[in-house]
Amino acid sequence: SYYYFGCFSHPKGFDEGQLAELRAAMPSKAVAEQLDEWFREKLYATQEETRLCFPGIIWQFPTYLFLWPLYCAQKRDRVRKWQAQMMKWQDDINDQLLIPNGMFLKTQSERPFVICGRLATKRWFAIALTPKEAEVLDAEKHVFGRTRFVGCSCLGEKNPLHDEDLCMHHP
């Protein structure tokens, strides 16, 4: 699973238990040893753009009615930056670690996903451990389920951003 920074939480971006299971399932011990660096250090760098609330909400909330187009554009730009960082991380881990060893990683997500009676978005890292699985995973799409416009659809943007253009539903 993929987790992003929230208002009051600063997760690492991954689940520790799942990372341990992945290391144990890896056919190559050399790859398993390098996963910590890729997930603990390099993935963490992509997290900064997922901050959702503070400190921005303190000054945005009172002015939202008047400046909402600006805030929508800021969110769109933040999501674009996050997307670029996530795709770079994904491409780098594939090119430098997984593909040379016959494996492949792809970020994916699904919306809506019902959890505890609430609609949510589920995000995950899909990892193929064999070349045949890698071929199938590479052909799959990143985003499943409902998608939405990122930013302000009413502004007539020249280069709009939609969820289906991303590596997973945006935070």
Side-chain angles (χ1 to χ4, degrees):
S1 295
Y2 172 75
Y3 303 100
Y4 56 87
F5 279 0
C7 288
F8 302 105
S9 64
H10 302 283
K12 300 171 192 163
F14 62 92
D15 182 288
E16 286 282 349
Q18 290 175 347
L19 183 60
E21 289 174 19
L22 176 61
R23 279 195 311 266
M26 278 286 153
S28 166
K29 294 301 172 202
V31 172
E33 291 171 1
Q34 294 180 51
L35 285 177
D36 279 348
E37 175 188 355
W38 280 97
F39 279 87
R40 292 185 200 293
E41 297 169 26
K42 296 181 179 182
L43 178 65
Y44 190 80
T46 69
Q47 294 292 83
E48 188 61 33
E49 295 305 318
T50 65
R51 288 188 190 273
L52 297 178
C53 296
F54 292 103
I57 198 167
I58 294 170
W59 61 270
Q60 287 179 351
F61 183 72
T63 61
Y64 190 80
L65 288 175
F66 308 105
L67 299 175
W68 63 266
L70 171 67
Y71 303 144
C72 288
Q74 285 177 338
K75 178 177 182 171
R76 181 207 56 231
D77 294 344
R78 191 179 74 233
V79 169
R80 277 198 172 117
K81 190 171 181 183
W82 167 80
Q83 163 73 5
Q85 291 171 339
M86 283 300 295
M87 286 306 295
K88 181 180 181 335
W89 178 85
Q90 180 177 292
D91 292 344
D92 288 349
I93 192 172
N94 279 322
D95 294 342
Q96 297 173 28
L97 181 65
L98 298 176
I99 291 174
N101 290 287
M103 296 177 251
F104 187 73
L105 176 140
K106 187 174 228 176
T107 52
Q108 294 181 318
S109 63
E110 179 182 7
R111 177 187 292 148
F113 178 74
V114 179
I115 185 167
C116 298
R118 293 181 33 208
L119 292 179
T121 301
K122 183 168 71 170
R123 298 171 183 87
W124 65 91
F125 301 100
I127 301 176
L129 301 177
T130 67
K132 187 174 182 177
E133 290 174 354
E135 192 176 304
V136 171
L137 181 59
D138 191 28
E140 288 183 10
K141 58 186 182 175
H142 286 277
V143 177
F144 299 91
R146 251 186 257 157
T147 61
R148 63 182 180 208
F149 190 84
V150 181
C152 298
S153 58
C154 59
L155 296 180
E157 296 184 49
K158 292 179 183 173
N159 188 15
L161 184 62
H162 298 271
D163 278 340
E164 66 263 11
D165 300 327
L166 303 176
C167 62
M168 66 174 74
H169 286 91
H170 67 87

